Amino acid sequence: MGDQIITRKVIVEICNAKNLMPKDGQGTASAFAIVDFDGQRRRTKTKFRDLNPQWDERLEFLVHDVDSMALETLELNIYNDKKTGKRSNFLGKVKISGSTFVGVGLESLVYYPLEKRSVFSQIKGEIGLKIWYVDEVAPPPSAPPTEEKKEETSPPVAAAENAQPPPPGDEKPPEETQAAPSEEKKEESEKKEEDKKPVNSSEKKEEKPSETDKKDSEAAAATQPPPPPPTSEILEHPPIAQNKPPNKKPLVNENTSELKILHKNLSNNVDRRTGAFDLVDQMPFLYVRIVKGKRANQEPDSSAYAKLVIGTHSIKTKSLADNREWDQVFAFDKDGLNSTSLEVSVWVQKKSNNDENCIGNVSFDLQEVPKRVPPDSPLAPQWYSLEDQTLPGNDVMLAVWLGTQADEAFNEAWQSDSGGLIPETRAKVYLSPKLWYLRLTVIQTQDLQLGSGGTEPKIRTPDLYVKAQLGAQLFKTSRTTVGSSSSASNPTWNEDLVFVAAEPFEPFLVITVEDVTNGQMVGFAKVQVTSIDKRTDDKSEPRSRWFNLIGDEKKPYAGRIHVRVCLEGGYHVLDEAAHLTSDVRATAKQLSKPPIGLLEVGIRGANNLLPVKTKDGTRGTTDSYVVAKYGPKWVRTRTILDRFNPRWNEQYTWDVYDPCTVLTIGVFDNGRYKDGDALKKDVRLGKLRVRLSTLDTNKVYMGTYSLMVLLPSGAKKMGDIEIALRFTCSSWLSLIQAYTNPMLPRMHYVRPFGPAQQDILRHTAMRIVTARLARSEPALGQEVVQCMLDSDTHIWSMRRSKANWFRVVGCLSRAATLARWLDGIRTWVHPPTTILVHILLIAIVLCPHLVLPTICMYAFLIISLRFRYRQRVAITMDPRLSYVDAIGPDELDEEFDGFPSSRPMEHVRVRYDRLRALAGRAQTLLGDVAAQGERLEALFNWRDPRATGIFVVVCLFASLVFYVVPFKAFVLGSGLYYLRHPRFRDDMPSVPVNFFRRLPPLSDQIL
């Protein structure tokens, strides 16, 4: 029996397409689909004259390399069949990344919008697909004699199959069996004629292996009995309607796919992702790997350990017995070494009396240590004799080399600059939990057993509501009254309750019906979260289900409830502030698109950090680390202990799916790594944000940025951080297309949440992410996650209110500048400018068709000239914009106060009075705005009959005047009247202004 071989197949079910673009010149289209994946091509049937074709065909593709399936891309192209039109027109395409494929049983129908092939393509519609993969166990390979027999009999079998008539489902039976090669060549030539554009580099690379495979097949055909040529072509690109026997599968196809995968891996930027540390400095480290020792005289009751000494550095390995392997790696920062020699000694410890004896040592000159640079293979350890005159014959196996932080042994090694093997100081990568929206629709209840049969009286009209709980989340429906009629005895709600569910899910969703009148529970039901259906869009309603309600011990059956529950995969669960989002992808894996670029961040180091705690009670110190967050991926650098100028030199990468997202980087002081300090919190040293849309592509940004932190005493600079950024994008077309797409997935616009509900869900998601990351090992502190997610932006702050107010004033200052410029023109402050404006007014009136072209050309010239003065460096945190310099200490203390307040009553009273004064100004402003609207409304409602009568008469005369006077003359006269000289003006308000101010508002009716 041979070993079992597991093969994977990707199955693409092409269901239907909707609203295709008519391309045959008669208002319809005859569509067929061509699917390419992993070097294989399949084709569907043609649906004649149908703009909403229904295929329901399954296409199978063999995955040649399971590990690289996520890097492959499935491309589907839809064409109009050439038989019904003049030529094969392009109807649209869809590209789906292999990383979105799901296993069998998890597939669902997803509608993908058809994409354009070029900017000038006219494409519309969408196509519905189901994609999944199946792992099958292939039979073991046969014995060599049977293979020879099959090879001898394969040519006549192939010839016989070639002579067989095709299946009845084919569109062109005689042509597909006899002239398949010529037809495929014609299709390829027609595609090239239709495109008339240069082929992409990826397509050219995919064509090259096929040519080499043809040469290989010709060479193989020269040594073996040649099969008929049509058979080989059919095997290389089989039609979808032809059933291919398993014994006819040639070896040429497998080699072709392997060559294509290899070519693709070589052509992609694989080295960029695997991490050449080109954005940071190379840090030299001395690596010592101690594997095991060998003792000449083995003592039964003893253990041994190795000791490394480099100047003042001294470290021990684990103490093990019976010649067991230590296999530990030590990394010493070379810049921190104060000696030129390394001494390794082996010590034996007796368990009976704890005596320690050195059985020998070996020394190394650090000037003679070899250097190793990845991707070189690891240095092989060697046996070294331990020098000792009394105990000869002892050896130790170790390896010593000089490397950098890019060495693969660095992450698991004992590190001298981060305190050794302390888990809380190691560099780690965290992932946020996958979040779903769980929608529970409460429809109605039936057969409710209200009141028990005991002494409890039955209430005639009880008030009921439904309460649902998922973990710590609890939501309730509105109240409804149960009446005596048949319809009222089965209360109906039809309300949606939305929860945030995180994988792995909570076990149960508990639904409870409660009676408000007596405060008791009627019954409850438990729904297993893992059994809830998932959906990706709103085109399919989830199934409704009935659940029996369980009461107390006396009432095992308390009625039943009708609900509809589903996990919404078409939404993106917002777990950050809306203006700082770093990921906008939908939850469902099937809806995610391939990334458009790559973000690389090099965290180089920090300078002039301030001490935040004391060491040994004598001097200040800082143990700093950096946390970077983009999308669901969090990275944490190692903690550099007791340094004010730490150098991390770590580099990380993220896939970018949307350029209008924000990267957040924070610096913290580690307060948890010491024993007994688990309850201490990490202190924030500063934070900065980088919006990716402000970065140029394929350009390195390297700079030093200030770390500002807001304390109760005011803003304080804690130091500087040095980082390097690079946003790499391979396709400009994909990047530009991202700006035309909506920010959030489709479900946010089809079935949107209200603002209040969205805020509740966002804060719930923040709490879930914070709790999950705090349970990691090592934990990412709650205060760290809250600082990175800005979870306190909804809390009142006088400083933020002033900052937002001045932001509004800054935006309106442009309009104020324009108003002052117009006022200067109409008052003839600069007469030549006013005369030029008169000429421009006359030109606009005489040639109105030139208004929009002139405005667009003016905007083009002005904005193009301002490109020279754009900001070259990405701006991070702005203290002036944050309004931290002009804030009082009491207002800062109010911002740092918790909720509810913990300050004395006098302080709270002062803050309340200040807030009342500020709210009074806002109240007056709102009243003035409402009065203007009420005056305009009173003009049409005859609240003031005389004013409305005057307005009606004026409208009558205006209609007669505008009927006689041309509109151009009216515009020209109004403009000249507005720009008249000051000697013809009056200092008093105009008649229309006086008339409008005299209209009656409703402010006199307010108490």
Side-chain angles (χ1 to χ4, degrees):
M1 294 295 292
D3 296 335
Q4 292 183 349
I5 303 175
I6 298 178
T7 59
R8 175 171 292 182
K9 290 183 179 180
V10 173
I11 301 175
V12 181
E13 182 177 349
I14 304 178
C15 300
N16 59 352
K18 297 180 180 180
N19 197 21
L20 295 180
M21 177 72 71
K23 287 294 183 75
D24 61 352
Q26 301 177 5
T28 60
S30 300
F32 68 92
I34 295 179
V35 186
D36 295 296
F37 179 73
D38 201 0
Q40 306 164 60
R41 173 170 290 184
R42 302 289 185 268
R43 182 186 186 276
T44 65
K45 298 179 182 179
T46 301
K47 297 297 179 180
F48 295 98
R49 300 185 181 278
D50 191 357
L51 295 179
N52 300 293
Q54 186 84 20
W55 286 287
D56 292 329
E57 296 186 25
R58 292 189 179 184
L59 310 181
E60 294 186 359
F61 298 88
L62 180 64
V63 180
H64 298 88
D65 190 356
V66 178
D67 297 332
S68 63
M69 186 186 74
L71 302 176
E72 297 288 340
T73 301
L74 185 142
E75 181 173 356
L76 183 144
N77 293 272
I78 303 180
Y79 296 95
N80 177 45
D81 200 334
K82 62 184 179 180
K83 294 181 294 186
T84 59
K86 298 180 180 179
R87 58 192 178 95
S88 296
N89 290 328
F90 179 73
L91 296 178
K93 69 175 182 178
V94 172
K95 288 187 177 181
I96 305 171
S97 175
S99 59
T100 63
F101 298 165
V102 297
V104 60
L106 301 177
E107 71 277 1
S108 60
L109 179 60
V110 181
Y111 284 89
Y112 297 92
L114 295 177
E115 301 176 358
K116 298 182 179 180
R117 184 168 52 190
S118 63
V119 181
F120 305 101
S121 300
Q122 294 182 358
I123 302 299
K124 69 175 183 177
E126 56 186 3
I127 185 170
L129 303 175
K130 290 183 181 180
I131 305 176
W132 68 94
Y133 60 85
V134 180
D135 293 331
E136 299 177 350
V137 179
S142 305
T146 58
E147 291 180 357
E148 293 177 359
K149 291 181 181 180
K150 288 184 179 180
E151 290 177 358
E152 293 176 0
T153 59
S154 59
V157 171
E161 290 179 355
N162 189 23
Q164 288 179 359
D170 292 347
E171 298 174 7
K172 297 188 293 183
E175 295 178 3
E176 287 188 355
T177 55
Q178 296 178 4
S182 61
E183 183 177 347
E184 290 179 354
K185 292 180 181 178
K186 286 181 182 179
E187 289 181 0
E188 292 178 358
S189 62
E190 286 168 359
K191 281 186 183 180
K192 292 179 181 178
E193 291 177 0
E194 178 191 351
D195 296 346
K196 292 182 180 180
K197 294 182 180 180
V199 188
N200 295 334
S201 59
S202 61
E203 295 177 357
K204 292 180 179 179
K205 291 178 182 178
E206 291 181 357
E207 290 176 0
K208 288 181 180 179
S210 63
E211 295 175 359
T212 58
D213 295 335
K214 288 181 179 179
K215 294 180 181 179
D216 296 340
S217 62
E218 292 175 359
T223 58
Q224 296 180 359
T231 307
S232 62
E233 289 290 329
I234 291 175
L235 286 175
E236 189 173 357
H237 301 288
I240 187 61
Q242 182 176 356
N243 294 326
K244 185 171 64 174
N247 59 352
K248 285 183 64 180
K249 183 177 179 181
L251 297 176
V252 180
N253 257 347
E254 297 179 0
N255 297 334
T256 303
S257 61
E258 289 175 2
L259 284 174
K260 287 186 178 180
I261 293 172
L262 178 62
H263 200 283
K264 186 172 182 180
N265 288 339
L266 292 176
S267 62
N268 287 343
N269 297 327
V270 180
D271 56 340
R272 182 70 58 82
R273 293 177 182 271
T274 52
F277 283 61
D278 56 343
L279 296 181
V280 296
D281 297 332
Q282 300 293 328
M283 298 181 64
F285 279 88
L286 174 66
Y287 289 91
V288 182
R289 181 185 180 188
I290 300 181
V291 182
K292 58 183 177 180
K294 183 171 63 176
R295 286 183 280 173
N297 299 324
Q298 179 71 29
E299 299 181 4
D301 189 16
S302 63
S303 60
Y305 65 88
K307 183 178 181 181
L308 288 75
V309 178
I310 308 177
T312 57
H313 293 277
S314 178
I315 186 65
K316 299 179 181 179
T317 65
K318 297 175 291 186
S319 181
L320 300 176
D322 301 331
N323 288 332
R324 295 173 59 188
E325 294 185 359
W326 296 298
D327 197 12
Q328 288 184 256
V329 182
F330 300 87
F332 297 91
D333 187 4
K334 189 179 178 183
D335 296 336
L337 299 179
N338 53 7
S339 177
T340 59
S341 63
L342 165 67
E343 180 179 339
V344 180
S345 58
V346 179
W347 296 70
V348 176
Q349 181 181 13
K350 295 183 179 180
K351 296 182 180 180
S352 58
N353 51 9
N354 292 331
D355 290 341
E356 296 182 356
N357 298 320
C358 179
I359 62 174
N361 57 45
V362 58
S363 299
F364 297 90
D365 188 0
L366 299 185
Q367 304 295 333
E368 303 296 333
V369 173
K371 293 183 179 180
R372 176 187 174 269
V373 179
D376 292 348
S377 299
L379 192 65
Q382 300 179 8
W383 286 104
Y384 292 90
S385 299
L386 297 176
E387 299 176 358
D388 191 89
Q389 297 180 356
T390 59
L391 297 173
N394 298 317
D395 300 329
V396 63
M397 177 181 284
L398 56 88
V400 183
W401 71 93
L402 287 175
T404 63
Q405 76 273 26
D407 200 299
E408 58 269 12
F410 179 74
N411 291 328
E412 302 299 331
W414 179 95
Q415 300 166 4
S416 61
D417 58 352
S418 61
L421 292 174
I422 304 175
E424 287 77 10
T425 62
R426 314 289 288 182
K428 293 293 180 182
V429 175
Y430 302 86
L431 289 177
S432 298
K434 189 175 182 179
L435 302 177
W436 296 74
Y437 283 141
L438 189 150
R439 186 188 297 271
L440 171 66
T441 304
V442 181
I443 303 175
Q444 66 173 354
T445 56
Q446 289 184 0
D447 303 335
L448 294 180
Q449 306 296 322
L450 300 175
S452 60
T455 58
E456 180 184 350
K458 185 176 181 180
I459 303 174
R460 294 184 178 180
T461 58
D463 289 340
L464 303 179
Y465 69 88
V466 178
K467 178 179 68 176
Q469 183 173 3
L470 180 67
Q473 305 174 60
L474 181 65
F475 294 100
K476 301 178 182 179
T477 64
S478 59
R479 299 180 183 181
T480 183
T481 303
V482 179
S484 58
S485 61
S486 59
S487 60
S489 60
N490 298 323
T492 302
W493 286 274
N494 286 321
E495 294 185 21
D496 287 347
L497 304 178
V498 183
F499 301 83
V500 178
E503 293 184 358
F505 297 120
E506 297 285 342
F508 294 103
L509 170 67
V510 182
I511 305 173
T512 309
V513 180
E514 293 191 1
D515 189 356
V516 183
T517 54
N518 55 13
Q520 294 184 358
M521 178 189 68
V522 178
F524 71 93
K526 290 186 177 181
V527 183
Q528 275 195 340
V529 181
T530 55
S531 65
I532 297 176
D533 298 335
K534 300 178 181 179
R535 71 170 183 174
T536 58
D537 51 28
D538 63 326
K539 298 180 181 179
S540 60
E541 279 292 328
R543 57 190 176 94
S544 60
R545 303 163 67 181
W546 288 93
F547 293 95
N548 293 333
L549 296 175
I550 303 173
D552 52 11
E553 297 178 356
K554 299 180 181 179
K555 293 190 300 181
Y557 175 77
R560 60 177 187 164
I561 185 170
H562 190 198
V563 298
R564 184 182 294 115
V565 59
C566 69
L567 290 168
E568 298 281 5
Y571 290 92
H572 168 70
V573 181
L574 297 172
D575 58 349
E576 309 173 272
H579 59 286
L580 300 175
T581 182
S582 61
D583 188 15
V584 293
R585 290 177 294 164
T587 302
K589 191 178 180 182
Q590 299 91 330
L591 298 180
S592 62
K593 295 183 178 180
I596 63 172
L598 185 70
L599 174 64
E600 297 168 275
V601 179
I603 303 174
R604 300 171 61 86
N607 302 318
N608 304 322
L609 294 181
L610 297 181
V612 296
K613 57 188 176 184
T614 58
K615 183 178 182 179
D616 301 330
T618 56
R619 62 183 181 87
T621 182
T622 299
D623 306 323
S624 57
Y625 67 93
V626 180
V627 176
K629 195 263 180 189
Y630 183 80
K633 179 180 176 181
W634 302 63
V635 299
R636 170 180 176 168
T637 65
R638 67 188 190 278
T639 302
I640 305 298
L641 302 180
D642 196 15
R643 291 189 187 178
F644 299 124
N645 298 291
R647 306 301 297 178
W648 293 286
N649 284 312
E650 299 182 18
Q651 185 169 336
Y652 299 94
T653 60
W654 286 269
D655 287 327
V656 178
Y657 296 88
D658 194 300
C660 302
T661 46
V662 178
L663 166 72
T664 305
I665 301 175
V667 185
F668 301 89
D669 175 78
N670 196 334
R672 288 185 168 90
Y673 73 94
K674 292 184 179 180
D675 297 335
D677 290 350
L679 298 179
K680 289 188 177 181
K681 295 184 178 181
D682 295 345
V683 181
R684 67 176 71 179
L685 300 179
K687 181 174 61 176
L688 57 91
R689 305 187 190 97
V690 180
R691 191 172 292 274
L692 268 62
S693 58
T694 62
L695 303 178
D696 294 338
T697 57
N698 304 322
K699 180 181 178 181
V700 177
Y701 290 85
M702 188 178 299
T704 302
Y705 304 96
S706 299
L707 294 173
M708 301 291 296
V709 63
L710 190 63
L711 302 174
S713 59
K716 187 176 183 180
K717 182 180 178 181
M718 304 299 293
D720 300 316
I721 183 173
E722 183 180 354
I723 61 173
L725 301 169
R726 177 168 56 206
F727 176 35
T728 307
C729 182
S730 58
S731 174
W732 269 93
L733 186 61
S734 301
L735 185 62
I736 295 174
Q737 187 180 3
Y739 280 87
T740 63
N741 297 332
M743 280 292 295
L744 295 173
R746 178 176 176 272
M747 288 292 289
H748 285 270
Y749 305 98
V750 177
R751 298 190 64 178
F753 298 118
Q757 186 180 19
Q758 188 65 73
D759 288 340
I760 294 174
L761 294 176
R762 180 187 294 113
H763 294 304
T764 302
M766 287 182 181
R767 289 193 295 268
I768 292 176
V769 172
T770 302
R772 291 291 179 91
L773 294 180
R775 291 165 52 189
S776 304
E777 185 62 35
L780 197 60
Q782 179 179 0
E783 66 281 358
V784 175
V785 179
Q786 291 177 352
C787 174
M788 299 291 289
L789 295 179
D790 281 338
S791 60
D792 58 345
T793 53
H794 64 289
I795 299 178
W796 163 258
S797 169
M798 181 69 73
R799 177 188 61 84
R800 289 199 189 99
S801 302
K802 290 182 178 180
N804 292 334
W805 168 254
F806 285 106
R807 287 171 59 194
V808 174
V809 171
C811 294
L812 296 179
S813 62
R814 306 291 188 272
T817 303
L818 179 62
R820 287 193 298 267
W821 180 75
L822 290 176
D823 186 70
I825 289 175
R826 66 188 295 265
T827 55
W828 292 71
V829 174
H830 193 253
T833 304
T834 306
I835 294 173
L836 289 177
V837 172
H838 279 78
I839 298 173
L840 179 62
L841 176 64
I842 297 173
I844 290 175
V845 172
L846 296 180
C847 304
H849 60 280
L850 296 179
V851 175
L852 292 180
T854 304
I855 294 176
C856 295
M857 181 58 67
Y858 180 79
F860 167 75
L861 294 175
I862 295 300
I863 298 176
S864 299
L865 291 176
R866 296 187 67 179
F867 179 77
R868 299 173 53 190
Y869 307 103
R870 73 189 192 280
Q871 295 174 349
R872 301 285 181 175
V873 181
I875 300 298
T876 54
M877 310 299 284
D878 191 353
R880 183 187 60 83
L881 187 62
S882 303
Y883 211 73
V884 296
D885 297 330
I887 196 74
D890 184 61
E891 295 175 352
L892 280 175
D893 183 70
E894 180 184 9
E895 183 172 350
F896 282 91
D897 191 8
F899 190 85
S901 176
S902 59
R903 298 297 185 265
M905 187 60 67
E906 294 297 329
H907 292 181
V908 177
R909 183 180 293 109
V910 171
R911 295 174 185 173
Y912 177 66
D913 293 339
R914 182 175 62 236
L915 185 61
R916 288 177 62 190
L918 182 62
R921 299 177 187 175
Q923 172 183 305
T924 305
L925 179 61
L926 292 176
D928 293 340
V929 173
Q932 308 305 321
E934 290 168 354
R935 287 191 177 100
L936 186 62
E937 186 179 359
L939 189 62
F940 299 98
N941 292 341
W942 294 84
R943 291 194 66 238
D944 188 346
R946 287 174 293 276
T948 306
I950 295 172
F951 179 71
V952 169
V953 173
V954 170
C955 290
L956 177 62
F957 280 101
S959 63
L960 298 176
V961 172
F962 290 152
Y963 181 76
V964 177
V965 179
F967 183 71
K968 292 183 179 180
F970 170 73
V971 173
L972 181 61
S974 301
L976 294 177
Y977 178 77
Y978 179 77
L979 298 174
R980 67 190 184 277
H981 197 272
R983 69 174 58 184
F984 301 107
R985 297 179 182 275
D986 191 6
D987 295 335
M988 302 304 292
S990 62
V991 174
V993 173
N994 294 331
F995 180 78
F996 183 78
R997 289 178 178 175
R998 290 180 177 276
L999 293 174
L1002 297 178
S1003 56
D1004 55 340
Q1005 299 181 10
I1006 297 179
L1007 292 176

